[in-house]
Amino acid sequence: RFAAAMKKHFPHIEFRYCSDPLSSSGQPSSWCANDPRLSVNAIEVFQNMPYFAGTEYFEIIKKLHSDNEKRNNLPPSENIYGEPVFKESVEVTDNQTKGVEESDKIKRTDKHIFYMDGLTLRIFSIDGENSALVDSYTIVNKNTIDMGGGRELPETHYGSEIFLSDDAKTVTVISRMYGSESYKPHSSSGVSYTDIRSFDVSDPANIQEKAELRIKGGYSSARMSEGKLLVFVGYNLYDDQIDYNKPESFLPVMDKGNGFELIPDCDIICNKDDIFPSYMIALEFDEKDLTLKKSFALYGSGGGPYVSRDKIFFHGNGEMSGRTITHTRIYCVDYTGESFKLLGSVKLAGHTIKNK
């Protein structure tokens, strides 16, 4: 009814509806969630509810303006070893570790702003009052989710973030995604994926998609270090999803366009104390074409990573007593070589609060 009223009184205004997703982990939500896609004829854009802390968006825009005014006097950037590197791209937000870039909604050069607006990548020129939209590209949901009872809904992308290459010729888009699962024995509910796409933006007026892949599991975090794209994906294992005749139902998998297959040469580390059935997967890609360079998985570790210039620190729930977490295990992994190398781990009493 509200959408119909908006259409009647403000027909020229785009109506964007934001809501928490209807279901979480395949179960109906018990809070304020609903399914606005059922009103698809009444709205232009549906997106999941964004959550902001304070006025972060406005602070980013203010910093963009400030940096733009100073762009002619910017010193050369430095790589992780402190050596000067001249880059087209310019950082607009702070990173936890110098030289280890984090994904964001906004990236820029001296001439263009790259903004991930929901499912749409928009490129704007920077030219004072003459600044304008140069080009845009919207990710299209190709598949549907079987909701049961003959009812299907489109796959849902949300929470998209981007990287911009140092030469400003490639944009990498990483999205959280809720979609169908073809190899699952009971496929009436969906599963979380991480969708990664590479775009050629060497001509900002003509965005071209170069490569696409998806990984089973929820997107945790990502980093870019000297052209190395590190992506971290985590998910839990459930009995009704496992078919022991199909290893792809209980081992890490990836789809490069020909269906889900086991991630090649993926070392899996399992500690005898970590009994919680979950994975935290680390993958390194070449940002230019999304070629997989190496992979690594921790079984029983669901904690997000902290990434330094040469190491990754993971934390996971080491032991539980009933529903109470009694211990935390911290892993240290070297990612500078041809493969990920586990350097060691330590178990501490208590539950991890922060990982910085």
Side-chain angles (χ1 to χ4, degrees):
R1 288 198 298 269
F2 182 74
M6 289 289 293
K7 286 291 185 184
K8 177 180 179 181
H9 296 287
F10 306 101
H12 60 289
I13 295 179
E14 179 185 84
F15 183 46
R16 176 171 298 211
Y17 193 94
C18 301
S19 168
D20 282 319
L22 177 67
S23 61
S24 176
S25 302
Q27 300 298 320
S29 299
S30 58
W31 53 95
C32 61
N34 55 78
D35 193 349
R37 288 169 296 182
L38 296 179
S39 302
V40 67
N41 294 324
I43 63 176
E44 277 79 28
V45 179
F46 158 71
Q47 70 179 52
N48 290 88
M49 183 69 72
Y51 292 93
F52 293 99
T55 56
E56 178 185 9
Y57 172 78
F58 299 100
E59 291 299 319
I60 290 174
I61 296 300
K62 185 169 69 174
K63 191 175 193 308
L64 274 174
H65 285 297
S66 174
D67 286 348
N68 189 38
E69 292 173 0
K70 297 182 294 185
R71 69 184 185 275
N72 293 327
N73 299 314
L74 285 174
S77 301
E78 294 182 351
N79 66 11
I80 59 178
Y81 305 105
E83 302 163 342
V85 175
F86 292 89
K87 299 168 55 176
E88 291 291 332
S89 60
V90 179
E91 277 302 305
V92 298
T93 56
D94 296 331
N95 294 315
Q96 292 187 57
T97 303
K98 184 178 181 180
V100 182
E101 184 184 347
E102 298 164 20
S103 56
D104 214 329
K105 294 286 187 183
I106 298 174
K107 299 291 184 181
R108 79 169 184 89
T109 65
D110 288 347
K111 297 179 180 179
H112 294 94
I113 291 176
F114 301 78
Y115 171 44
M116 197 64 203
D117 180 14
L119 295 181
T120 302
L121 173 63
R122 304 186 193 277
I123 303 180
F124 297 88
S125 62
I126 300 176
D127 189 20
E129 294 181 353
N130 298 318
S131 299
L133 177 66
V134 176
D135 196 16
S136 63
Y137 187 104
T138 300
I139 295 175
V140 177
N141 296 318
K142 300 176 182 178
N143 303 315
T144 58
I145 307 171
D146 180 7
M147 302 301 290
R151 186 162 158 261
E152 293 186 342
L153 292 174
E155 291 179 323
T156 303
H157 288 71
Y158 61 98
S160 300
E161 300 174 349
I162 62 174
F163 287 102
L164 177 64
S165 62
D166 287 350
D167 61 8
K169 293 182 179 180
T170 300
V171 167
T172 304
V173 178
I174 305 176
S175 305
R176 296 169 175 85
M177 181 180 168
Y178 190 77
S180 58
E181 185 176 9
S182 58
Y183 53 81
K184 183 177 175 182
H186 309 290
S187 60
S188 61
S189 61
V191 67
S192 293
Y193 296 113
T194 299
D195 184 89
I196 309 175
R197 305 190 187 209
S198 178
F199 293 90
D200 181 350
V201 294
S202 55
D203 178 3
N206 184 26
I207 303 172
Q208 296 290 323
E209 183 171 336
K210 297 192 294 183
E212 174 191 358
L213 59 86
R214 64 179 60 176
I215 307 158
K216 181 185 177 182
Y219 172 56
S220 173
S221 185
R223 299 289 189 274
M224 185 77 74
S225 178
E226 307 224 323
K228 298 177 180 178
L229 173 62
L230 298 170
V231 179
F232 304 98
V233 174
Y235 68 96
N236 298 331
L237 288 171
Y238 298 99
D239 289 341
D240 67 346
Q241 295 180 1
I242 295 175
D243 180 348
Y244 287 105
N245 293 315
K246 296 181 178 180
E248 64 269 23
S249 72
F250 57 87
L251 294 175
V253 291
M254 180 172 66
D255 180 4
K256 294 186 289 186
N258 298 313
F260 280 94
E261 298 176 345
L262 297 179
I263 296 176
D265 302 318
C266 183
D267 292 330
I268 300 175
I269 301 298
C270 178
N271 190 289
K272 62 183 179 66
D273 296 328
D274 298 341
I275 59 174
F276 192 76
S278 65
Y279 283 115
M280 174 55 66
I281 309 166
L283 306 103
E284 180 187 309
F285 298 95
D286 186 324
E287 67 170 330
K288 294 181 180 179
D289 56 11
L290 297 184
T291 299
L292 179 64
K293 296 296 186 180
K294 56 193 177 190
S295 58
F296 175 87
L298 287 170
Y299 181 83
S301 176
Y306 170 83
V307 183
S308 73
R309 72 183 184 93
D310 54 1
K311 297 180 180 66
I312 307 168
F313 296 88
F314 299 93
H315 71 275
N317 303 327
E319 293 181 5
M320 298 184 70
S321 176
R323 298 183 63 86
T324 302
I325 297 170
T326 60
H327 289 82
T328 295
R329 184 171 292 278
I330 301 173
Y331 298 88
C332 179
V333 177
D334 186 314
Y335 70 90
T336 58
E338 294 184 359
S339 61
F340 290 100
K341 181 180 180 181
L342 179 66
L343 300 181
S345 66
V346 62
K347 185 172 75 171
L348 304 173
H351 181 198
T352 300
I353 303 297
K354 283 279 190 179
N355 180 12
K356 297 291 184 181

